[in-house]
Amino acid sequence: NAGVTQTPKFRILKIGQSMTLQCAQDMNHNYMYWYRQDPGMGLKLIYYSVGAGITDKGEVPNGYNVSRSTTEDFPLRLELAAPSQTSVYFCASCNTAGIQETQYFGPGTRLLVL
Amino acid sequence: QKEVEQDPGPLSVPEGAIVSLNCTYSNSAFQYFMWYRQYSRKGPELLMYTYSSGNKEDGRFTAQVDKSSKYISLFIRDSQPSDSATYLCAMSDSNYQLIWGAGTKLIIKP
């Protein structure tokens, strides 16, 4: 089991460029999440998905888009990158929506927008 | 005012000491409380989960929730250098979305 994998590990973008952050899990989890983590701040939920074909906005969705065509994959799309999107992005998955369920996190993608 | 407040540290203690990490919160509807541990350049991993008030113990770790004071704590006994990490508290009301603290960086000196 690889768990939750994320690519790339690190990326530098110019203002206005676009990119897709990849996330995949091999645990057959229904629920998947995208968070961003800024220095000195807690994790903020960007988008989440309760299953293939179903996504919903979290706390900070502006400037991002997601899709969930399969159970395994949950890519995050950044359109027109801005310096405010400089952050560390984490993907997570869990088996059910129950808050007592462990969310398994990937290793993160560090994004720098210049 | 943030919904969840957590001192960012760093907190530096000698090996073998008892460590106390804390979070305060403002939303009285929170009833699910977690502690996650995050090593440098890694994703967070769940350490402890507590529902409502009370204590929960797991090996060297004890989680406490005081809902009357809106205060949660994580105690680490016999701290080890391998415990050096950032500890994040997270909590939720019934809608299952986690609200996270900023994290406390803990350093255990050998």
Side-chain angles (χ1 to χ4, degrees), chain B:
Chain B
Q1 182 191 9
K2 294 181 183 178
E3 271 193 292
V4 179
E5 298 276 2
Q6 187 176 10
D7 188 333
L11 176 62
S12 183
V13 301
E15 182 177 356
I18 296 175
V19 174
S20 173
L21 303 166
N22 312 294
C23 289
T24 59
Y25 62 94
S26 57
N27 188 346
S28 57
F30 288 150
Q31 51 185 330
Y32 303 93
F33 304 92
M34 288 86 174
W35 286 95
Y36 277 76
R37 178 175 62 195
Q38 184 177 23
Y39 290 113
S40 181
R41 296 187 177 269
K42 301 287 186 183
E45 55 180 347
L46 182 64
L47 198 59
M48 300 281 287
Y49 155 75
T50 309
Y51 171 71
S52 194
S53 286
N55 292 1
K56 186 172 185 178
E57 187 172 324
D58 184 2
R60 296 185 294 111
F61 298 89
T62 300
Q64 281 186 354
V65 176
D66 182 347
K67 291 189 73 179
S68 61
S69 301
K70 298 190 183 69
Y71 189 88
I72 70 170
S73 300
L74 177 70
F75 297 96
I76 306 174
R77 292 184 299 280
D78 187 24
S79 56
Q80 304 294 311
S82 59
D83 295 328
S84 297
T86 296
Y87 290 79
L88 301 120
C89 63
M91 49 197 78
S92 178
D93 58 14
S94 59
N95 74 355
Y96 301 152
Q97 180 170 321
L98 286 174
I99 306 299
W100 296 78
T104 298
K105 184 174 183 178
L106 175 64
I107 300 168
I108 308 297
K109 299 177 292 184

